[in-house]
């Protein structure tokens, strides 16, 4: 089984843990690293997504890696902000915010790159070019899709 701790595919927990990532961005139950505090049976954590290796979509790892980069950049912003004194902004915080923005944009770009290989991408009407941008944007910004 390929397993993960988030709904709907791999997330920041998979990106940050020591287990090797499968092409889908999930972790193979048989390759879970003992010291992993997320996927190891000893951790007793709920797996919320999974599929058999033969059902693996084979895409998504780049997105999970990008999610991990965003998460790291976000932590750096929080660390920089917690060093702030009132009324004082250090340049490290501004750099950290720039890096965070770059990481978020990279994550969105990886989602777009993966889109043609996803179920939604397979279902998209590639002959009707007018619908494609909508379909792709919904992949990276589903909340505002209607
Ligand atoms: Zn793990
Ligand atoms: Zn898989």
């Amino acid at each position: 089984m390929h397993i993960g701790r988030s709904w709907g595919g791999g997330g920041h927990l998979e990106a940050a843990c020591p287990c090797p990532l499968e092409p889908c961005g999930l972790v193979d139950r048989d390759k879970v690293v003992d010291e992993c505090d997320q996927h190891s049976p000893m951790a007793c954590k709920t797996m919320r997504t999974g599929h058999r290796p033969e059902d693996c979509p084979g895409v998504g790892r780049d997105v999970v890696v990008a999610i991990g980069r965003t998460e790291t950049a976000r932590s750096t912003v929080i660390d920089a902000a917690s060093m702030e004194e009132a009324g004082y902004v250090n340049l490290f915080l501004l750099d950290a915010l720039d890096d965070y923005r770059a990481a978020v944009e990279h994550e969105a770009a990886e989602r777009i790159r993966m889109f043609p290989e996803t179920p939604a991408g397979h279902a998209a009407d590639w002959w009707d070019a007018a619908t494609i941008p909508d379909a792709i944007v919904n992949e990276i910004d589903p909340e505002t899709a209607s």
Side-chain angles (χ1 to χ4, degrees):
M1 282 288 283
H2 294 172
I3 54 170
R5 300 256 301 111
S6 309
W7 301 107
H12 69 277
L13 295 174
E14 281 68 48
C17 88
C19 303
L21 291 177
E22 296 301 309
C24 57
L26 298 179
V27 167
D28 191 316
R29 185 170 273 156
D30 296 333
K31 299 179 195 164
V32 166
V33 175
D34 282 344
E35 52 270 31
C36 179
D37 61 1
Q38 296 297 329
H39 305 102
S40 156
M42 274 91 79
C44 297
K45 299 259 172 84
T46 312
M47 297 305 142
R48 300 195 169 91
T49 189
H51 49 244
R52 296 175 303 168
E54 55 269 36
D55 296 329
C56 186
V59 292
R61 179 166 48 198
D62 290 346
V63 171
V64 172
V65 171
I67 290 171
R69 185 175 145 189
T70 303
E71 200 67 19
T72 302
R74 183 175 176 275
S75 298
T76 307
V77 169
I78 293 169
D79 289 349
S82 68
M83 299 185 314
E84 293 295 301
E85 290 175 38
Y88 174 75
V89 176
N90 75 39
L91 292 178
F92 186 63
L93 180 55
L94 300 180
D95 285 348
L97 277 171
D98 286 346
D99 288 349
Y100 179 64
R101 177 182 169 151
V104 169
E105 289 179 344
H106 172 70
E107 186 183 321
E110 289 297 347
R111 289 181 195 277
I112 293 170
R113 284 188 188 104
M114 185 192 70
F115 177 73
E117 311 302 328
T118 64
H122 290 146
D125 181 1
W126 294 94
W127 296 105
D128 183 358
T131 69
I132 299 304
D134 260 2
I136 292 173
V137 164
N138 290 347
E139 275 297 296
I140 61 172
D141 193 15
E143 312 270 293
T144 54
S146 60

